[in-house]
Amino acid sequence: MVAEALEAAKMLEAEGINVAVIDAVTVKPLDSETVLAYAKKCGAIVTAENANVIGGLGSAVCECVCDNAPVPVKRVGVCDLYGEVGDVDYLKKRFGLTADVIVEKVKEAIAAK
């Protein structure tokens, strides 16, 4: 999802919206120091993961910021659905794991600030 996030960042930059892309290498332990620093700096967060959003990176980030620096958080990922088999492009579109969806969520997060 880092490649999709970087593509989304380019798309947003073209619209005059500056974002930061952080590669969360692990969910546990979560790099809460970095998450909180960017929550305070940006005022909103969008997570993107190619897995179920429940119990994954998005959930960990939500818990972290809720307790320490409440900001709007939007999550991009599989929304509690069973997996499927198919080519990568089909699966990305099917489950909303694309730069376009990230851009949409960023705009929602900014509007919620």
Side-chain angles (χ1 to χ4, degrees):
M1 290 303 291
V2 174
E4 294 293 331
L6 291 171
E7 180 62 29
K10 287 179 190 175
M11 294 164 67
L12 290 160
E13 184 178 353
E15 295 184 38
I17 300 171
N18 295 317
V19 298
V21 176
I22 299 161
D23 183 3
V25 201
T26 63
V27 173
K28 187 171 175 67
L30 180 68
D31 183 356
S32 55
E33 185 177 312
T34 299
V35 170
L36 294 174
Y38 278 90
K40 292 172 186 172
K41 179 179 179 177
C42 299
I45 294 176
V46 174
T47 63
E49 57 193 308
N50 61 352
N52 197 316
V53 294
I54 298 172
L57 176 64
S59 293
V61 168
C62 284
E63 290 176 21
C64 179
V65 299
C66 179
D67 290 343
N68 300 290
V71 298
V73 177
K74 298 294 179 179
R75 298 182 286 174
V76 174
V78 179
C79 295
D80 203 23
L81 299 169
Y82 289 107
E84 294 181 22
V85 176
D87 65 54
V88 174
D89 289 335
Y90 165 78
L91 293 172
K92 283 182 177 182
K93 288 177 186 169
R94 166 72 175 97
F95 293 109
L97 307 176
T98 65
D100 290 331
V101 173
I102 294 171
V103 167
E104 178 183 313
K105 293 296 183 177
V106 167
K107 291 177 179 180
E108 288 176 13
I110 291 170
K113 287 179 20 174

